[in-house]
């Protein structure tokens, strides 16, 4: 089933989204200062996606409720 990897990623959101948030944010700033706007904006979009998913994780109530809330939202 296609949704199983997505549910796995949602269950363990803090383990991948927080490092992506930190690393992509830092490199986005560095590339912005160097003048590489397209790369900087693509990294900033990763930061935004990571932040939104982390907020959804917090709003849903943690690792047990997040996959169930996601399935309710898509159905």
């Amino acid at each position: 089933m296609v949704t199983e990897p997505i549910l796995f990623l949602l269950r363990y959101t803090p383990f991948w989204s927080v490092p992506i948030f930190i690393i992509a944010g830092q490199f986005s700033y560095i590339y912005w200062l160097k003048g590489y706007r397209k790369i900087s904006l693509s990294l900033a979009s990763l930061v935004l996606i990571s932040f939104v998913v982390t907020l959804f994780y917090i709003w849903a109530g943690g690792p047990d409720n997040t996959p169930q809330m996601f399935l309710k939202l898509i159905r």
Side-chain angles (χ1 to χ4, degrees):
M1 190 170 200
V2 177
T3 59
E4 288 183 19
I6 294 170
L7 295 178
F8 178 80
L9 286 174
L10 286 173
R11 180 178 295 270
Y12 298 107
T13 295
F15 295 107
W16 63 265
S17 69
V18 173
I20 287 176
F21 183 78
I22 294 169
I23 295 168
Q26 181 179 1
F27 279 105
S28 174
Y29 179 67
I30 290 171
Y31 281 119
W32 184 265
L33 290 177
K34 289 184 176 186
Y36 298 114
R37 304 293 185 213
K38 289 183 182 180
I39 296 172
S40 176
L41 292 176
S42 64
L43 289 170
S45 66
L46 278 175
V47 170
L48 181 65
I49 291 168
S50 172
F51 184 70
V52 167
V53 172
T54 303
L55 286 179
F56 176 72
Y57 178 84
I58 293 168
W59 176 75
D64 295 331
N65 295 335
T66 303
Q68 296 165 354
M69 291 291 289
F70 178 73
L71 289 174
K72 285 182 185 177
L73 286 176
I74 63 170
R75 289 185 184 165

